[in-house]
Amino acid sequence: MTIHFTHNERPTVGVEMELHIVDAETGDLVSAANELLTELGRAHPGGEHPKAKHELFQSTVEIITGVCDTPEQAGDDLKVSIAELRELAEQRGLTLISSGTHPFALARDQLISPDPRYHDLIEAMQWPARRLLICGLHVHVGVADGARAIEIINELRRHLPLFLALSSSSPYFESEDSGLASARSKVFESLPTAGLPPQLADWTDFEEFMSTLLDSQCIKSIREVWWDIRPHPDFGTIEFRMCDATPTVRETVAIAGLAQTLVAWCNQRIDTRTMPAPPREWTVRENRWLAARFGIEAELIVERPDSGQPERRKVSALVRELVEELRPTAETLGTAAQLDDIVRIVEVGSGAQRQRRVVDGGGTLVDVVHFLVDNLADDDFTPR
């Protein structure tokens, strides 16, 4: 099977940000996506807003950007669509939050969106799909061809746990403290084609992998492979899918900037033939768990540069070292401000840490929702 990969001349960036619709007073989820998206789409051809879409449940909406040259452009794009959606929501006593999970709503109470593909998903996957009351952040970065995409993805697996830790914002699930920084990642990985991508040799290896799943009728489309990082042949991108939805657009833009810069850095390494050897799969798998469990407070497994022996290093130190490694690329690309915000996330805490501080300070899970409402509305993740 031959899979065509759309060529991209430069590392463009696009973002998909999933949002929860909540009652502005009670904080509970409200199944209002059908009504909101119908009204939002009236001014657009075909009656559909080009950048606001249904998700699995009617209590969630996905906001997408166009193809952007910079993270700032993507952020501006997101803010326009979110403002349109929020205005309609507030007219109905509703509002929006961005977080990997809703702190207390129950998956069994949610209504499925009308698109037949969502009902097909529930029928095919059953219980794992019915619990997907989660919101994620996806970042697309353009690359030249499929072969390059696979080589870059193999290197990106090393950094996948850092993205998960930085974005972690789902400590609570169905009224329980999960004990995790990212409960969303553990809920989502229960799907059969989700989770850590395998290390592939090249684009031909990817084509053979997909041919096996398609020919055996395990999947109907390669888009049903929901790896944490995957090539998107139609868009000609690498899609970062490991992140929780972050509470602010600013954090979203920071993570998009880190993704774009890292892909550009990998491109440089391919051109100069200095790409590091891919990380061992079992190390990445363990680090992914540690990031989901502890978030920014995790200590990950790395190899000592002098001996190659394993040791544990704090995420905060690894993030700062990565940012410094990427600084020259960021200066060229124009993403230095986003890398500064990545360091700021480490300093002030992830969404998961900030939500727990509300409860640790005597707040309820309803207070957590109101805190998240303010985070998104103010686009501010700094301490108050």
Side-chain angles (χ1 to χ4, degrees), residues 216-274:
S216 61
Q217 299 182 345
C218 291
I219 61 173
K220 297 177 182 178
S221 162
I222 62 175
R223 294 184 65 184
E224 294 177 20
V225 172
W226 300 301
W227 294 334
D228 290 343
I229 315 174
R230 69 180 183 183
H232 197 299
D234 290 345
F235 291 171
T237 62
I238 291 170
E239 183 180 7
F240 293 68
R241 298 175 49 86
M242 74 290 283
C243 295
D244 284 4
T246 57
T248 66
V249 173
R250 182 175 169 183
E251 288 166 280
T252 296
V253 170
I255 288 170
L258 179 62
Q260 186 186 34
T261 310
L262 192 51
V263 169
W265 179 89
C266 287
N267 269 319
Q268 295 165 357
R269 289 301 184 108
I270 292 173
D271 292 341
T272 57
R273 299 184 179 181
T274 55

Side-chain angles (χ1 to χ4, degrees), residues 56-268:
L56 174 63
F57 293 117
Q58 293 185 36
S59 55
T60 55
V61 173
E62 180 183 55
I63 301 298
I64 65 175
T65 71
V67 178
C68 303
D69 290 320
T70 67
E72 292 99 332
Q73 184 182 349
D76 291 342
D77 200 338
L78 288 170
K79 289 175 184 177
V80 169
S81 299
I82 291 172
E84 290 181 67
L85 182 63
R86 183 186 288 111
E87 181 180 1
L88 293 180
E90 289 178 346
Q91 293 171 8
R92 294 160 174 80
L94 310 176
T95 190
L96 309 170
I97 65 171
S98 178
S99 184
T101 53
H102 185 280
F104 60 83
L106 300 178
R108 66 171 179 263
D109 293 339
Q110 307 309 309
L111 301 178
I112 308 299
S113 292
D115 191 320
R117 70 188 177 99
Y118 292 125
H119 292 269
D120 291 345
L121 175 66
I122 296 291
E123 177 61 29
M125 301 298 172
Q126 292 296 314
W127 182 74
R130 293 198 299 270
R131 352 174 16 236
L132 293 177
L133 188 55
I134 55 177
C135 283
L137 160 63
H138 303 164
V139 179
H140 290 263
V141 181
V143 292
D145 54 60
R148 189 165 286 241
I150 295 301
E151 188 170 358
I152 293 173
I153 286 171
N154 284 338
E155 169 61 18
L156 292 177
R157 292 162 74 252
R158 183 192 319 277
H159 307 288
L160 181 158
L162 298 182
F163 280 86
L164 180 56
L166 288 163
S167 69
S168 58
S169 65
S170 50
Y172 303 107
F173 186 67
E174 297 194 330
S175 294
E176 292 187 19
D177 187 332
S178 67
L180 310 178
S182 175
R184 179 207 61 85
S185 63
K186 308 312 289 183
V187 171
F188 190 72
E189 72 178 19
S190 64
L191 297 180
T193 59
L196 189 67
Q199 183 176 320
L200 299 170
D202 50 31
W203 187 249
T204 298
D205 202 14
F206 174 76
E207 291 175 324
E208 291 177 356
F209 185 101
M210 293 301 163
S211 295
T212 298
L213 294 181
L214 288 165
D215 292 346
S216 61
Q217 299 182 345
C218 291
I219 61 173
K220 297 177 182 178
S221 162
I222 62 175
R223 294 184 65 184
E224 294 177 20
V225 172
W226 300 301
W227 294 334
D228 290 343
I229 315 174
R230 69 180 183 183
H232 197 299
D234 290 345
F235 291 171
T237 62
I238 291 170
E239 183 180 7
F240 293 68
R241 298 175 49 86
M242 74 290 283
C243 295
D244 284 4
T246 57
T248 66
V249 173
R250 182 175 169 183
E251 288 166 280
T252 296
V253 170
I255 288 170
L258 179 62
Q260 186 186 34
T261 310
L262 192 51
V263 169
W265 179 89
C266 287
N267 269 319
Q268 295 165 357

Side-chain angles (χ1 to χ4, degrees), residues 267-378:
N267 269 319
Q268 295 165 357
R269 289 301 184 108
I270 292 173
D271 292 341
T272 57
R273 299 184 179 181
T274 55
M275 183 75 87
R280 295 181 183 274
E281 181 167 347
W282 59 80
T283 300
V284 178
R285 191 172 300 279
E286 180 64 18
N287 283 343
R288 184 182 183 277
W289 155 248
L290 292 169
R293 169 64 178 89
F294 298 106
I296 288 177
E297 297 173 308
E299 293 185 355
L300 306 184
I301 304 168
V302 298
E303 291 185 357
R304 291 177 58 92
D306 54 347
S307 65
Q309 294 299 307
E311 64 174 350
R312 298 279 292 276
R313 299 280 310 284
K314 292 182 178 180
V315 162
S316 56
L318 294 173
V319 168
R320 287 186 171 93
E321 289 174 8
L322 177 61
V323 165
E324 289 310 306
E325 173 68 26
L326 297 178
R327 283 288 182 193
T329 305
E331 293 295 337
T332 301
L333 198 60
T335 53
Q338 284 71 54
L339 296 195
D340 290 341
D341 272 350
I342 290 293
V343 174
R344 185 67 174 149
I345 293 171
V346 171
E347 292 172 346
V348 305
S350 67
Q353 291 172 304
R354 303 195 311 266
Q355 289 178 54
R356 280 205 172 100
R357 286 175 197 153
V358 173
V359 174
D360 291 345
T364 66
L365 294 184
V366 174
D367 294 325
V368 171
V369 174
H370 291 314
F371 172 78
L372 291 168
V373 169
D374 291 341
N375 268 214
L376 184 62
D378 299 339

